[in-house]
Amino acid sequence: MSMVPSPPTHHRRLRWQALTGFIALSAIVGAVAALAVATRSEAQNLLARPSWAPPGWLYGPVWSALLLLVAVAGWCYWRTDGETRGFAFYGLCLLLTLLWTPLFFAGSAHVLALADVVVLDFVVPITMMEFARRSKLAAWLLVPYLLWLLFSTAVNAAVVWLN
């Protein structure tokens, strides 16, 4: 007799469809970001950036990997019958992530983008704590996302300072 509880029946039936849904949701966030970057103004290309900012080509692959991890984290949490509170913070993370790129690139609203990412810097750890109550794996999968956001905050702050 196994001491590990099996997932609820509905989760066994829906787990792959749910994973697809989480990936699709993250892909929408990535697609909005890609559109915002593609529509940036020429003035945006001329902004002073810190010397330690990564090259532009790196952002797409990094964000693709991070959003996949975020999707899998949400799915892992969902598989535990995650609480609404955890999903509320998770959704807020996705929404703030969705807003940052259009604010920064398409809108050239660098100060608003900085405010957005600073809020994210607080919401992601809260989400991790909520997730950790039910799934340590779900919480740990968000660590690279948090680290990249902290780095992005520094880059965004430097752009505001230099311009």
Side-chain angles (χ1 to χ4, degrees), residues 80-93:
T80 69
D81 277 338
E83 299 169 322
T84 303
R85 180 178 161 97
F87 279 121
F89 283 109
Y90 179 80
L92 184 56
C93 288

Side-chain angles (χ1 to χ4, degrees), residues 61-142:
V62 168
W63 272 111
S64 296
L66 291 173
L67 288 171
L68 182 59
L69 289 175
V70 168
V72 174
W75 179 68
C76 288
Y77 184 68
W78 172 83
R79 290 194 65 206
T80 69
D81 277 338
E83 299 169 322
T84 303
R85 180 178 161 97
F87 279 121
F89 283 109
Y90 179 80
L92 184 56
C93 288
L94 288 175
L95 177 63
L96 291 169
T97 301
L98 177 91
L99 293 173
W100 184 86
T101 310
L103 284 170
F104 189 87
F105 287 102
S108 294
H110 306 115
V111 173
L112 281 175
L114 180 59
D116 177 274
V117 77
V118 166
V119 172
L120 256 171
D121 293 342
F122 288 96
V123 174
V124 173
I126 294 168
T127 306
M128 291 169 68
M129 288 186 292
E130 291 293 325
F131 278 21
R133 289 198 238 180
R134 293 185 174 257
S135 171
K136 301 280 189 244
L137 176 59
W140 280 104
L141 286 169
L142 294 177

Side-chain angles (χ1 to χ4, degrees), residues 9-72:
T9 305
H10 70 282
H11 281 179
R12 282 193 299 257
R13 278 185 280 130
L14 297 175
R15 79 173 151 212
W16 301 116
Q17 293 95 328
L19 178 58
T20 302
F22 280 100
I23 292 171
L25 189 58
S26 290
I28 290 168
V29 172
V32 168
L35 285 171
V37 170
T39 61
R40 69 184 177 266
S41 68
E42 189 58 38
Q44 187 71 21
N45 293 330
L46 300 175
L47 286 174
R49 299 185 190 281
S51 61
W52 42 269
W57 62 264
L58 185 62
Y59 287 94
V62 168
W63 272 111
S64 296
L66 291 173
L67 288 171
L68 182 59
L69 289 175
V70 168
V72 174

